[in-house]
Amino acid sequence: MDFMLEALEEAKKALSKEEVPVGAVVVRNGEIIGRGHNLRENLNSPLAHAEIIAIKEASEKLNSWRLNDCQLYVTLEPCVMCAGAITQARIPEVYIGAIDPAAGACGSIINIPQNDSLHLHTKLYWQLRDECGDILKEFFLRRRK
């Protein structure tokens, strides 16, 4: 199963709700245990990012805040808040679909998950996919019109 495509399906759900189209899935042993897409506008919450929602769902399913045997797939580079949540959840691997040059906290602007001051060093894999960037470009182009 292509987990980045699953994250992209979550991004499409956000798009259908007029949200910034970002999606995420948490995977453990080859199974999706958490899904999320942006819901900031619908929930009027700055915390309702795709990654936060997916991490929360995975933690509830495992009945543990430690996701140290999981992977996160996300269509856009996580922001500072989400990068912090990834570190706090002890997620060891993150697969990222598109760079966020405006707010990226996994290497674009700063790199929280691989900060030497933190105990966990998350492996970051850039699966730069046109589909992940294209859905965001389309959304913002439509919004500007």
Side-chain angles (χ1 to χ4, degrees):
M1 177 182 288
D2 187 333
F3 296 114
M4 188 59 76
L5 288 179
E6 292 294 318
L8 192 55
E9 287 302 312
E10 289 296 317
K12 290 175 184 175
K13 290 177 187 176
L15 182 63
S16 73
K17 297 172 183 175
E18 298 297 318
E19 295 277 355
V20 175
V22 177
V25 295
V26 176
V27 176
R28 181 176 184 238
N29 298 327
E31 176 189 346
I32 295 173
I33 60 167
R35 293 178 175 272
H37 55 274
N38 274 357
L39 288 171
R40 286 190 314 176
E41 299 297 330
N42 283 261
L43 297 179
N44 288 314
S45 173
L47 305 176
H49 287 207
E51 302 94 323
I52 300 296
I53 294 167
I55 289 169
K56 183 176 186 288
E57 186 174 294
S59 294
E60 288 171 354
K61 183 166 187 169
L62 296 180
N63 196 33
S64 176
W65 61 268
R66 290 179 184 90
L67 303 179
N68 54 349
D69 58 352
C70 298
Q71 300 81 41
L72 175 71
Y73 291 78
V74 60
T75 59
L76 180 65
E77 181 181 0
C79 69
V80 170
M81 175 182 68
C82 294
I86 289 163
T87 301
Q88 288 297 312
R90 311 291 196 259
I91 297 173
E93 297 178 6
V94 178
Y95 296 81
I96 303 166
I99 293 170
D100 185 350
C106 291
S108 290
I109 296 175
I110 59 174
N111 192 343
I112 291 173
Q114 295 180 331
N115 185 300
D116 288 335
S117 298
L118 302 174
H119 297 293
L120 174 74
H121 286 267
T122 302
K123 293 178 185 171
L124 302 173
Y125 301 98
W126 295 88
Q127 293 188 335
L128 300 177
R129 292 234 140 104
D130 290 339
E131 306 97 323
C132 294
D134 290 347
I135 192 171
L136 287 157
K137 287 176 195 169
E138 282 179 39
F139 174 80
F140 288 110
L141 280 173
R142 276 193 324 197
R143 216 165 197 206
R144 289 184 189 114
K145 288 183 180 179

